[in-house]
Amino acid sequence: MGGILLAVQNSLPGGIIYVFTDADAKDIGLYSFVRAEAWKKRVTIHFGLTGTCSRRRVRRGLQSGTVDPLYIQLALETGGQVFSGPRDDVGNILANIDTQIQDNFVTLGRYRVDLPAAIPLPVDDTLTSIMFSISSFDGIISAVQIRRPDGVVVNTDTDPGVSKVQLGNNVVVTIQGPGAGVWNIDIGGTGASTILAQGNSQININFFQFMQTVLGRYEEMLIEIPGGNPISDGEFATALARVEGPVASGEFGLADIAGNVINSLIEMGDSSLGGPGDSVLIIEIPDSPFSIFVEGITASGHAFQRLAIPVYTPQVTKVSFNQLSLPDVFPPGSEVMIEFIVENFGIDTITVDLTVMDTLAYIASYNQTQAEVPPGGSASISVVLIFPDSCFEDVNRITATASLVGEFIGNSDIIDIIVCETPPPTSTPTLAPTKSQSKSGKKAKSGT
């Protein structure tokens, strides 16, 4: 996990990371930090697996012949996939990389289903290409058939503009210049599978983030909710969304991990809280994992749909930085303490694992690694940072995570602070001359 975290930290926002490995995950305690950083930067993580580590599997109690569940979960939460196959074929995963690294690469739909499966997909006129990526991490893909809107089956061997690559039990089909209409994907086989439908288009969900309304100096304003995952507290959540491209109309909705629509209420909020082109959404949070999608009509009159990348898992825990604990400056040679707050919005007492790390390794300690939090209560994480005399001014990213004991999904908060900043010099105030001082500024002698 350490290598993945380093890759995410150095990735550009909206980047795509491919992890190639023949071993199961180690440093599993870093999982929450990888997910938090990936969500912060909207990074997608894919895995190309060519083997497993038997000794590590025994220590973690994993069954032989299965994919590490941490890889499956991290790919799911960041909108990626898990591919597995022979080492000699691993390069096939990158055969369609040109399509994916373009600025207008978008996601139409994501489906985690048991095979066999049949999926209809609306393809609009703005799509210059579409890519169907099918991955089965514990089953068998026996057949993939794609039908155009007119019912004609795509021939992946002879049709112009069509390519197909395969890595073990994974299939990727790319089609250039697809026609608008409803396409159908039929997949034969057994076991669990993930299907990604993506392509290149001007229409995309450019931004989506859960927010909270706060009272500013003059008016209400929206700020990001720490950690990304919404709070499961029975209340409606506020989110900010932005759709770009030639769209005539569109409506937002929620989908489960299988791609089915969730019947949760979504209303439009006060648009004045957002910027130009922003939609303020009031969302009824479901009890299960979900993604955000938008569907509607393009400017040319064709149906479209787009999916936001993250999969959100509602949480009862919230982690937030206590702004009151932030000192004015973190100078060289100093020792300071800051604080994060973990809140429980559930109806039961919970025990959570607490972890904190920073990019520049100035954290010396924090007061607790596990806490019991009653309903409606909170716990404090006091973090001590020590800065050596020789440190230089830099930005230190601090991440605090909280997850239920035995689970990897939780919530987090990330802050960026300037450290090792030399405080401004304090000047000695100059006093105005008094009547007992001479015009030269020297003290006058006493008359006695």
Side-chain angles (χ1 to χ4, degrees), residues 35-55:
R35 183 195 62 232
E37 187 72 14
W39 275 14
K40 182 83 171 179
K41 303 176 77 170
R42 305 187 308 280
V43 169
T44 301
I45 303 175
H46 299 277
F47 291 90
L49 309 179
T50 59
T52 59
C53 176
S54 57
R55 286 181 297 177

mmCIF file of all heavy atoms in Angstrom, residues 35-55:
data_model
loop_
_atom_site.group_PDB
_atom_site.id
_atom_site.type_symbol
_atom_site.label_atom_id
_atom_site.label_comp_id
_atom_site.label_asym_id
_atom_site.label_seq_id
_atom_site.Cartn_x
_atom_site.Cartn_y
_atom_site.Cartn_z
ATOM 1 N N ARG A 35 -7.170 5.615 0.193
ATOM 2 C CA ARG A 35 -8.520 5.958 -0.256
ATOM 3 C C ARG A 35 -8.800 7.450 -0.068
ATOM 4 O O ARG A 35 -9.337 8.117 -0.953
ATOM 5 C CB ARG A 35 -9.560 5.149 0.505
ATOM 6 C CG ARG A 35 -10.990 5.408 0.030
ATOM 7 C CD ARG A 35 -12.025 4.896 0.996
ATOM 8 N NE ARG A 35 -11.913 5.565 2.277
ATOM 9 C CZ ARG A 35 -11.813 4.930 3.435
ATOM 10 N NH1 ARG A 35 -11.801 3.618 3.463
ATOM 11 N NH2 ARG A 35 -11.714 5.599 4.561
ATOM 12 N N ALA A 36 -8.429 7.995 1.093
ATOM 13 C CA ALA A 36 -8.685 9.409 1.371
ATOM 14 C C ALA A 36 -7.973 10.306 0.364
ATOM 15 O O ALA A 36 -8.554 11.267 -0.159
ATOM 16 C CB ALA A 36 -8.245 9.746 2.796
ATOM 17 N N GLU A 37 -6.718 10.001 0.068
ATOM 18 C CA GLU A 37 -5.957 10.812 -0.875
ATOM 19 C C GLU A 37 -6.507 10.667 -2.293
ATOM 20 O O GLU A 37 -6.588 11.649 -3.047
ATOM 21 C CB GLU A 37 -4.482 10.407 -0.837
ATOM 22 C CG GLU A 37 -3.551 11.291 -1.641
ATOM 23 C CD GLU A 37 -3.323 12.650 -1.018
ATOM 24 O OE1 GLU A 37 -3.665 12.837 0.165
ATOM 25 O OE2 GLU A 37 -2.806 13.547 -1.719
ATOM 26 N N ALA A 38 -6.904 9.435 -2.673
ATOM 27 C CA ALA A 38 -7.463 9.208 -4.006
ATOM 28 C C ALA A 38 -8.771 9.969 -4.184
ATOM 29 O O ALA A 38 -9.031 10.556 -5.245
ATOM 30 C CB ALA A 38 -7.678 7.718 -4.242
ATOM 31 N N TRP A 39 -9.597 9.974 -3.149
ATOM 32 C CA TRP A 39 -10.853 10.719 -3.230
ATOM 33 C C TRP A 39 -10.597 12.216 -3.288
ATOM 34 O O TRP A 39 -11.273 12.938 -4.001
ATOM 35 C CB TRP A 39 -11.724 10.378 -2.030
ATOM 36 C CG TRP A 39 -12.542 9.146 -2.232
ATOM 37 C CD1 TRP A 39 -12.380 8.203 -3.206
ATOM 38 C CD2 TRP A 39 -13.649 8.725 -1.447
ATOM 39 N NE1 TRP A 39 -13.310 7.209 -3.065
ATOM 40 C CE2 TRP A 39 -14.106 7.503 -1.998
ATOM 41 C CE3 TRP A 39 -14.285 9.241 -0.331
ATOM 42 C CZ2 TRP A 39 -15.182 6.800 -1.463
ATOM 43 C CZ3 TRP A 39 -15.354 8.532 0.191
ATOM 44 C CH2 TRP A 39 -15.796 7.337 -0.369
ATOM 45 N N LYS A 40 -9.639 12.676 -2.514
ATOM 46 C CA LYS A 40 -9.321 14.101 -2.495
ATOM 47 C C LYS A 40 -8.928 14.580 -3.893
ATOM 48 O O LYS A 40 -9.288 15.688 -4.312
ATOM 49 C CB LYS A 40 -8.177 14.350 -1.515
ATOM 50 C CG LYS A 40 -7.760 15.804 -1.360
ATOM 51 C CD LYS A 40 -8.638 16.541 -0.389
ATOM 52 C CE LYS A 40 -8.104 17.915 -0.062
ATOM 53 N NZ LYS A 40 -8.978 18.656 0.868
ATOM 54 N N LYS A 41 -8.223 13.727 -4.647
ATOM 55 C CA LYS A 41 -7.714 14.126 -5.951
ATOM 56 C C LYS A 41 -8.499 13.498 -7.110
ATOM 57 O O LYS A 41 -8.127 13.654 -8.268
ATOM 58 C CB LYS A 41 -6.232 13.745 -6.058
ATOM 59 C CG LYS A 41 -5.374 14.359 -4.968
ATOM 60 C CD LYS A 41 -3.942 13.901 -5.037
ATOM 61 C CE LYS A 41 -3.186 14.590 -6.139
ATOM 62 N NZ LYS A 41 -1.731 14.308 -6.049
ATOM 63 N N ARG A 42 -9.584 12.747 -6.785
ATOM 64 C CA ARG A 42 -10.433 12.100 -7.802
ATOM 65 C C ARG A 42 -9.597 11.202 -8.710
ATOM 66 O O ARG A 42 -9.694 11.241 -9.935
ATOM 67 C CB ARG A 42 -11.192 13.154 -8.619
ATOM 68 C CG ARG A 42 -12.018 14.104 -7.785
ATOM 69 C CD ARG A 42 -12.873 15.023 -8.638
ATOM 70 N NE ARG A 42 -12.125 15.712 -9.660
ATOM 71 C CZ ARG A 42 -11.388 16.791 -9.473
ATOM 72 N NH1 ARG A 42 -11.278 17.332 -8.260
ATOM 73 N NH2 ARG A 42 -10.744 17.352 -10.465
ATOM 74 N N VAL A 43 -8.783 10.360 -8.100
ATOM 75 C CA VAL A 43 -7.894 9.445 -8.822
ATOM 76 C C VAL A 43 -8.525 8.060 -8.901
ATOM 77 O O VAL A 43 -9.066 7.553 -7.917
ATOM 78 C CB VAL A 43 -6.519 9.363 -8.126
ATOM 79 C CG1 VAL A 43 -5.688 8.223 -8.692
ATOM 80 C CG2 VAL A 43 -5.784 10.686 -8.269
ATOM 81 N N THR A 44 -8.481 7.453 -10.079
ATOM 82 C CA THR A 44 -8.980 6.099 -10.300
ATOM 83 C C THR A 44 -7.825 5.107 -10.215
ATOM 84 O O THR A 44 -6.756 5.347 -10.792
ATOM 85 C CB THR A 44 -9.648 5.978 -11.676
ATOM 86 O OG1 THR A 44 -10.737 6.905 -11.751
ATOM 87 C CG2 THR A 44 -10.178 4.576 -11.909
ATOM 88 N N ILE A 45 -8.038 3.984 -9.514
ATOM 89 C CA ILE A 45 -6.972 2.993 -9.331
ATOM 90 C C ILE A 45 -7.420 1.648 -9.904
ATOM 91 O O ILE A 45 -8.449 1.099 -9.508
ATOM 92 C CB ILE A 45 -6.609 2.824 -7.843
ATOM 93 C CG1 ILE A 45 -6.186 4.178 -7.248
ATOM 94 C CG2 ILE A 45 -5.493 1.801 -7.671
ATOM 95 C CD1 ILE A 45 -5.916 4.140 -5.758
ATOM 96 N N HIS A 46 -6.631 1.127 -10.855
ATOM 97 C CA HIS A 46 -6.845 -0.200 -11.434
ATOM 98 C C HIS A 46 -5.726 -1.129 -10.962
ATOM 99 O O HIS A 46 -4.595 -0.689 -10.690
ATOM 100 C CB HIS A 46 -6.816 -0.151 -12.963
ATOM 101 C CG HIS A 46 -7.880 0.708 -13.578
ATOM 102 N ND1 HIS A 46 -9.161 0.269 -13.787
ATOM 103 C CD2 HIS A 46 -7.839 1.994 -14.043
ATOM 104 C CE1 HIS A 46 -9.879 1.235 -14.351
ATOM 105 N NE2 HIS A 46 -9.093 2.294 -14.509
ATOM 106 N N PHE A 47 -6.021 -2.423 -10.908
ATOM 107 C CA PHE A 47 -5.032 -3.415 -10.495
ATOM 108 C C PHE A 47 -4.857 -4.472 -11.585
ATOM 109 O O PHE A 47 -5.843 -5.016 -12.100
ATOM 110 C CB PHE A 47 -5.460 -4.107 -9.195
ATOM 111 C CG PHE A 47 -5.423 -3.206 -7.996
ATOM 112 C CD1 PHE A 47 -6.532 -2.465 -7.638
ATOM 113 C CD2 PHE A 47 -4.269 -3.090 -7.235
ATOM 114 C CE1 PHE A 47 -6.507 -1.623 -6.536
ATOM 115 C CE2 PHE A 47 -4.226 -2.250 -6.138
ATOM 116 C CZ PHE A 47 -5.347 -1.516 -5.785
ATOM 117 N N GLY A 48 -3.592 -4.742 -11.927
ATOM 118 C CA GLY A 48 -3.239 -5.841 -12.826
ATOM 119 C C GLY A 48 -2.462 -6.877 -12.035
ATOM 120 O O GLY A 48 -1.305 -6.642 -11.658
ATOM 121 N N LEU A 49 -3.079 -8.001 -11.738
ATOM 122 C CA LEU A 49 -2.504 -9.007 -10.839
ATOM 123 C C LEU A 49 -2.012 -10.213 -11.624
ATOM 124 O O LEU A 49 -2.715 -10.748 -12.481
ATOM 125 C CB LEU A 49 -3.548 -9.443 -9.806
ATOM 126 C CG LEU A 49 -4.267 -8.326 -9.044
ATOM 127 C CD1 LEU A 49 -5.281 -8.915 -8.074
ATOM 128 C CD2 LEU A 49 -3.268 -7.445 -8.313
ATOM 129 N N THR A 50 -0.792 -10.629 -11.293
ATOM 130 C CA THR A 50 -0.218 -11.795 -11.953
ATOM 131 C C THR A 50 0.175 -12.878 -10.960
ATOM 132 O O THR A 50 0.895 -13.811 -11.317
ATOM 133 C CB THR A 50 1.036 -11.383 -12.751
ATOM 134 O OG1 THR A 50 1.995 -10.795 -11.855
ATOM 135 C CG2 THR A 50 0.678 -10.388 -13.839
ATOM 136 N N GLY A 51 -0.296 -12.798 -9.715
ATOM 137 C CA GLY A 51 0.035 -13.817 -8.726
ATOM 138 C C GLY A 51 -0.389 -13.390 -7.338
ATOM 139 O O GLY A 51 -0.989 -12.328 -7.145
ATOM 140 N N THR A 52 -0.062 -14.228 -6.348
ATOM 141 C CA THR A 52 -0.369 -13.943 -4.948
ATOM 142 C C THR A 52 0.814 -14.368 -4.092
ATOM 143 O O THR A 52 1.718 -15.070 -4.547
ATOM 144 C CB THR A 52 -1.626 -14.703 -4.479
ATOM 145 O OG1 THR A 52 -1.404 -16.110 -4.637
ATOM 146 C CG2 THR A 52 -2.856 -14.293 -5.278
ATOM 147 N N CYS A 53 0.802 -13.931 -2.852
ATOM 148 C CA CYS A 53 1.855 -14.277 -1.896
ATOM 149 C C CYS A 53 1.274 -15.248 -0.875
ATOM 150 O O CYS A 53 0.451 -14.864 -0.050
ATOM 151 C CB CYS A 53 2.387 -13.028 -1.210
ATOM 152 S SG CYS A 53 3.608 -13.369 0.077
ATOM 153 N N SER A 54 1.698 -16.510 -0.933
ATOM 154 C CA SER A 54 1.089 -17.538 -0.081
ATOM 155 C C SER A 54 1.360 -17.291 1.398
ATOM 156 O O SER A 54 0.482 -17.475 2.238
ATOM 157 C CB SER A 54 1.610 -18.925 -0.483
ATOM 158 O OG SER A 54 3.021 -18.971 -0.397
ATOM 159 N N ARG A 55 2.579 -16.847 1.755
ATOM 160 C CA ARG A 55 2.884 -16.607 3.171
ATOM 161 C C ARG A 55 2.054 -15.466 3.734
ATOM 162 O O ARG A 55 1.547 -15.529 4.844
ATOM 163 C CB ARG A 55 4.378 -16.313 3.328
ATOM 164 C CG ARG A 55 5.266 -17.525 3.180
ATOM 165 C CD ARG A 55 6.721 -17.158 3.366
ATOM 166 N NE ARG A 55 7.152 -16.219 2.330
ATOM 167 C CZ ARG A 55 8.366 -15.677 2.280
ATOM 168 N NH1 ARG A 55 9.252 -15.950 3.217
ATOM 169 N NH2 ARG A 55 8.695 -14.841 1.306
#
